Amino acid sequence: MGEVEPVPAGPLEPPEPPETAAPRRPGGIRVLKRNMKHNGSRNCLTRRSRFGSRERDWLREDVKRGCVYLYGADTTTATTTTTSSSSSDLHLVLCTVETPASEICAGEGRESLYLQLHGDLVSRRLEPTERPLQIVYDYLSRLGFEDPVRIQEEATNPDLSCMIRFYGEKPCQMDHLDRILLSGIYNVRKGKTQLHKWAERLVVLCGTCLIVSSVKDCQTGKMHILPLVGGKIEEVKRRQHSLAFSSAGAQAQTYHVCFETLAEYQRWQRQASKVVSQRISTVDLSCYSLEEVPEHLFYSQDITYLNLRHNFMQLERPGGLDTLYKFSQLKGLNLSHNKLGLFPVLLCEISTLTELNLSCNGFHDLPSQIGNLLNLQTLCLDGNLLTSLPDELGNLQQLTSLGISFNSFSQIPEVLEKLTMLDKVVMAGNRLEILNLGVLTRMSHVKHVDLRMNNLKTVIIENLEGNKHITHMDLRDNQLTDLDLSSLCNLEQLHCERNQLRELTLSGFSLRTLYASWNRLTAVNVYPVPSMLTSLELSRNLLECVPDWACEAKKLEILDISYNLLTELPMRILSSLSLRKLMVGHNHIHVLPALVEHIPLEVLDIQHNTLSRLPDTLFSKALNLRYLNASANSLESLPSACAGEESLSVLQLLYLTSNLLTDQCIPVLVGHPHLRVLHLANNQLQTFPASKLNKLEQLEELNLSGNKLKAIPTTVANCKRLHTLVAHANNISIFPEILQLPQIQFVDLSCNDLTEILIPEALPATLQDLDLTGNTNLVLEHKTLDMFSHLTTLKIDQKPLPTTDSTVTSTFWSHGLAEMAGQRNKLCVSALAMDNFAEGVGAVYGMFDGDRNEELPRLLQCTMADVLLEEVQHSTNDTVFMTNTFLVSHRKLGMAGQKLGSSALLCYIRPDTADPTSSFSLTVANVGTCQAVLCRGGKPVPLSKIFSLEHDPEEAQRVKDQKAIITEDNKVNGVTCCTRMLGCTYLYPWILPKPHIASTPLTIQDELLILGNRALWEHLSYLEAVNAVRHVQDPLAAAKKLCTLAQSYGCQDNVGAMVVYLNIGEEGCTCEMNGLTLPGPVGFASTASIKDAPKPTTPSSSSGIASEFSSEMSTSEVSSEVGSTASDEHNTVGLEASLLPRPERRCSLHPAPSAGIFQRQPSCATFSSNQSDNGLDSDDDQPVEGVITNGSRVEVEVDIHCCRGREPEDSPALPKNPSNPCSEGHARGLGFGIRRQNSVNSGILLPVNKDKMELQKSPSTSCLYGKKLSNGSIVPLEDSLNLIEVATEAPKRKTGYFAAPTQLEPEDQFVVPRDLEDEVKEQMKPHQDSRPEPEPREEGRTEPQEEFDTAL
């Protein structure tokens, strides 16, 4: 192990393990070599050996101690990931936070250490005084870790190398080296003819030139330089592995070069071909970790553009920045992201420069010599720390573009007045608080002003003189309350979104477009009437009427005034002869004016108003109407589509969700023969006439969910273009004839009354998703499942277990999940649902949205529950364990999280130990845009925070302070609008994984919890979502309703919703301590009445329990679909069985103190058995229900109870027999509950306490300790379960699967009241004493009890 000197007082040596003792290194540093190699998975490394206990003890003594993993040089090829090392040997260096890099280098015999972040191509050389371990600790602290001990622990994790790692040599890929410089000694012949002989020469390809020189005098002798730009490269056919390099021009020269191997030949040909194909002499050396340019590059004197972006260029070096003036023809130079700190003054001597990019270098000021670049036309200084500009900058009279965004300017620099060629002032992301229009008036050459994301609060007008020059102004994301720009008489376009404006005043002489959404506007004044106005956006304000000047705008084409307080729509607006798109949704409009003349309207959005009818002449006068969204109104009927016999309607998209429409509106739809999308969800439809549907031949998407339909017409088979049918939450009992449609892709018939499916011989190849959950009476045969095996997603219910009224068990939570893909047809949303978590006393629910990637949501879905379970064991503080869960999950994403990111939401329900008045507490953590809302007393309670630039000014300011470049579409570096995510490590420190955390105790008033991704909450308010589902009994139907509403309201992206129903309260308690009498044995039934819990309409779907068939799984992972089994046959049951001492039964509300050892729960579990390809066991001759014969994996919910009764304390101990099958260990006594719902990783593998699983020694008594509830959870019932129910629920033994004991009928039970039990026992005692004693058993022999095990 390494020896370290943490304090000057003396060296502190950690103990050295004998197997890894390394020779002592100079400088007091010793290293431990660990054999760690890349495993090809998403984890970065797999450790072959670990820290010894003695080393860990040494680390625990001081939190300032730690280790640094030191990698060798990375010389991988282009086909290998950049984060993998070519060397399988690592150096593990023990050190302290005070250990400098120079000391580690001395101990390692290295010249320098290099730091690489996030697997980037760039690695920075550490200065000798920098401290590597302190760098790691600071990095972890910025991520969100706070505990020093936890930071020390995380720093020792090798998975951290995917985010930060150190190299002992400069890492570089081979193809990167080729792009910088290619060199070698080869046989060379000059000229196209054979007059010259082949000779050995040193050949170098660097920049734009081929350099040929003598081997001996390569530095001092004669050198031949061949410019290649515009030239050509050809293969020499007469000589193997030879290339002919030719320059451009009439006097072109040619050199033949013969390479030794094919690999060298291909490398040179590939790189030279890029050079000769260029039209201008451009050299791109970006992202190569360069500190200086290669020496041979200076021979390329024809270079006109040099890109050195994202390097670590130094000033005083042989090829440093101070030598770039040697390029005599250089016109463009990019030095952005080099962290220079100081402006390279010698750059001002390159007088030929016309374009210079110096953004993101940390400059505080500019030198006065900048005025020497008289030919400069473009100067980019974004992302620095500038507060002023030198006056000499005014000498650049040819400057047309100046970028000074995201600096620290507090006012507009006066020197801009001298730059007469400059037509744009781009100062976004600075610190301006006051906008002086007089300064802009003096800049008569400026037309465009970009001041978004400043701190503007006031606009000052110095005089009444108008500004006739500014045409475009962007004031988004400021703090303005009133804005008067009437002096800008030539203003054409104004952006002022996301301010706090109450009043806006503009000049209308030249106004063309106005964007003023997300304010508090009550008045918008424009004078004169804007005759040139074409687009007006005033959504999300407080306007009570449409401005009069907007009604008189003769060229207005687009009007968005949604999310306001309008009560009426002026006739002049709806009858406008220029308006093509009208958005007036989310207002309070009662009636629309009648149309008299034909209008050119194409898009009309009137959703979320109070309309009871539409104008009778709407469709006959708006003949160009293609899109109509009238959802969430009170429509009872629809106007006719045509006045005559023939319809002229071109309507293609019609959304009428959440209205009061009945069957009478269906005939009107026939008048729209071009309909492609029709949404009629959540209305009062009972039938859909077959003759009417037959005429909608162009239909592609049909949504009829949430109605009272009993069948889909058979004429749906005539809709040949139909690809999506959504009809969940109806009363459909007959499967529609949709499996013959040639383009059908998505079918959702969940929560209906289907009993069987008639399928054709061949299914359409386009069918991808079939959802049949919530059909409790549906039974799918093995042949049917086999035909569906090719589907990407098949969702079906696990067959519910029979229950009896005598054993009603209260459930505290149940969930339902719905996910719907958007227009991209790629579902990038995943969810996590575990109703039984942490030994069955809690629950975990999560939602993950990858926006455009599906990989990260699936990874988080599979790993995050395990991480939470581990973190809960380390801390009871909800803030601590939730934060660490997110940060560790962020690390576990590995290489996948370097470039991809995902929003994440995690909700954890657990017993509340802090508040004795509450039974459970809810902890919610999130990053990104996924949100959770709690319904408490019918009111929504938001528990999440939206981490985006648009909705969180504090986060936006943090990102600005760290000098990120926020593009005009409000995205960090043009990538994402989120400021906190899991993944996207390459955007550190702008994007962080630290979550927002909120905790609240759950009370009896808490009805449900809604989890949703960004797309859901963009189209549904919290209150509307709560009101939409709080009276829906089935949580699966509730979740699907939310997704349907979002799509009907205009969502075209992936949408995911999860609804968790809560039943928190003492009335849901099943503890004996609360007076619930346990059912007695056979012949004695309890007289206590049990309050029935509300049953969902669809028991199997109430929690979203579904099976998902995935044809991509292997045969070995086939899961069996079985129910619970009884233990032994019971011929008679004595009264003694009910009198045996037993532990008090507790529910999840009042869990018993746990004395057992923590056992880890995997977030998913799969049973793999010796099943054959057709899903049969080797002993069986009948297939297992629900198993696909082609070997595809069937993911179902499995509830297996191979339980054994508890031995009475006073019973004599029986001799142990290792051959007894009942004592084969804990493995056969485990109770498993495994569930996979949709894409929900909700499986649990919960080991049951061993003493509970031991069978009673009396062969006539046993009990079942686990029972599956309607929500899929497994709660211990112990001996409260009536033995008759055990026999009733257990399937009959058939072909080796199950056997159930014969029992008395429930009505034959003899009921004994509690107060008479003692008397009955005394009367029964003589009868029991008179029974014949059983025959004694042979000594040492234990008779094996009968067991009824499953095929698993």
Side-chain angles (χ1 to χ4, degrees), residues 119 386 401 486 543 589 620 719 1070 1088 1179 1281:
L386 300 174
S401 177
S486 57
L543 297 174
I589 300 176
S620 59
C719 302
T1070 58
D1179 301 330
L1281 186 64

Side-chain angles (χ1 to χ4, degrees), residues 18 281 291 322 1002 1079 1321:
S281 299
E291 296 181 359
D322 291 346
L1002 294 179
K1321 284 187 286 185

Side-chain angles (χ1 to χ4, degrees), residues 39 82 95 272 291 390 424 431 442 541 550 578 637 726 821 832 834 886 896 910 940 961 1039 1163 1197 1238:
N39 63 357
T82 60
C95 57
E291 296 181 359
K424 294 182 180 180
R431 299 178 179 177
R442 292 192 293 269
N541 281 286
S578 61
S637 61
V726 182
L832 167 69
M834 298 181 70
F886 273 68
R910 59 170 180 156
D961 293 341
S1163 59
E1197 179 171 2
N1238 196 359

Side-chain angles (χ1 to χ4, degrees), residues 326-518:
K326 296 180 181 179
F327 294 105
S328 58
Q329 300 183 29
L330 193 62
K331 294 184 178 181
L333 177 61
N334 189 343
L335 286 171
S336 61
H337 295 87
N338 270 269
K339 299 181 180 180
L340 299 177
L342 296 176
F343 191 98
V345 179
L346 289 181
L347 290 182
C348 300
E349 298 183 7
I350 310 177
S351 58
T352 58
L353 280 179
T354 60
E355 181 180 346
L356 179 60
N357 190 338
L358 293 170
S359 60
C360 302
N361 276 292
F363 296 151
H364 287 82
D365 51 38
L366 298 180
S368 58
Q369 291 87 338
I370 191 73
N372 298 335
L373 301 175
L374 300 179
N375 293 319
L376 202 61
Q377 299 177 9
T378 301
L379 177 60
C380 185
L381 298 169
D382 298 328
N384 285 288
L385 301 171
L386 300 174
T387 57
S388 61
L389 296 177
D391 293 337
E392 289 78 5
L393 193 66
N395 299 336
L396 309 183
Q397 291 300 308
Q398 297 189 32
L399 194 66
T400 59
S401 177
L402 175 63
I404 51 176
S405 297
F406 300 99
N407 279 275
S408 301
F409 291 98
S410 58
Q411 59 183 2
I412 300 177
E414 295 181 358
V415 70
L416 300 184
E417 299 180 17
K418 302 178 182 180
L419 303 176
T420 57
M421 296 293 293
L422 196 68
D423 62 347
K424 294 182 180 180
V425 174
V426 183
M427 295 186 63
N430 279 278
R431 299 178 179 177
L432 276 70
E433 296 185 359
I434 299 176
L435 173 58
N436 191 337
L437 294 180
V439 175
L440 296 177
T441 302
R442 292 192 293 269
M443 300 178 186
S444 58
H445 49 277
V446 173
K447 296 182 180 179
H448 295 252
V449 178
D450 184 358
L451 297 177
R452 59 189 174 88
M453 302 193 73
N454 277 273
N455 301 323
L456 290 175
K457 300 177 181 179
T458 307
V459 176
I460 298 178
I461 304 176
E462 292 184 347
N463 49 55
L464 299 178
E465 181 182 358
N467 187 315
K468 300 181 181 180
H469 313 289
I470 295 179
T471 59
H472 294 73
M473 180 167 285
D474 193 341
L475 299 175
R476 286 176 290 173
D477 299 287
N478 280 283
Q479 303 175 26
L480 297 169
T481 56
D482 294 283
L483 183 59
D484 185 353
L485 297 179
S486 57
S487 61
L488 306 182
C489 53
N490 283 336
L491 186 66
E492 298 179 4
Q493 176 177 296
L494 173 64
H495 280 277
C496 56
E497 302 99 306
R498 291 179 297 278
N499 279 274
Q500 302 175 18
L501 294 176
R502 295 187 297 265
E503 186 173 356
L504 176 62
T505 303
L506 301 174
S507 171
F509 284 108
S510 304
L511 190 64
R512 296 177 182 270
T513 55
L514 172 59
Y515 303 96
S517 60
W518 291 95

Side-chain angles (χ1 to χ4, degrees), residues 574 591-596 612-622 637-643 668 672:
L574 193 58
V591 61
L592 293 180
L595 293 177
V596 180
S612 59
R613 57 191 300 272
L614 297 177
D616 295 335
T617 58
L618 176 62
F619 296 124
S620 59
K621 297 299 181 181
S637 61
L638 296 177
S640 175
C642 56
V668 180
H672 306 286

Side-chain angles (χ1 to χ4, degrees), residues 102-134:
S102 59
E103 188 173 346
I104 297 179
C105 291
E108 284 288 296
R110 308 281 186 179
E111 294 183 0
S112 300
L113 294 185
Y114 292 86
L115 172 64
Q116 185 187 69
L117 295 176
H118 320 124
D120 203 350
L121 303 176
V122 177
S123 57
R124 179 176 67 86
R125 181 174 58 87
L126 296 182
E127 296 295 331
T129 57
E130 292 188 85
R131 297 168 293 173
L133 186 60
Q134 186 63 51

